[in-house]
Amino acid sequence: MILPWVEFFCGLFLIIGLRTRAAAVVTSLMLLMFIVMIIINIYWEAPITCGCFDSVGEDLGWRKIIEDVVLLAMTIHVYFFDRIFVFHGGGLLPKKFRRSVLPATS
């Protein structure tokens, strides 16, 4: 009940650039949890499906683990190399369209 909302807000924060490092840490921890749980269920040969996008979902397998590992690598990259500050100094606008946020000094 809470996990989808945590995922939603982490994704939203990563997209808009607000608290990206914290969102990347939480997302990485969730992905690690998902990877471990998928591996455990593959080992036990549990007859369950992913259920990510619908009630049936696809069968658990190595493809799902690879997808999660790729997403984990992306969140690690965001954690270490995030340099975009959307809400600081004009955000994603080119410099010629930005207004100065600091008052002009004479």
Side-chain angles (χ1 to χ4, degrees), residues 91-103:
L92 298 175
L93 294 174
K95 287 186 179 183
K96 63 182 177 181
F97 295 114
R98 293 182 193 174
R99 291 184 305 170
S100 177
V101 278
L102 299 174

Side-chain angles (χ1 to χ4, degrees), residues 17-63:
L18 181 65
R19 302 281 186 215
T20 52
R21 294 184 87 188
V25 168
V26 173
T27 304
S28 296
L29 292 174
M30 286 189 297
L31 285 167
L32 283 172
M33 179 186 67
F34 296 153
I35 292 168
V36 168
M37 293 302 145
I38 291 171
I39 290 172
I40 288 171
N41 282 297
I42 288 174
Y43 178 75
W44 287 344
E45 297 178 358
I48 60 174
T49 59
C50 178
C52 295
F53 299 108
D54 56 11
S55 60
V56 178
E58 64 183 87
D59 291 334
L60 294 180
W62 293 104
R63 179 173 178 236

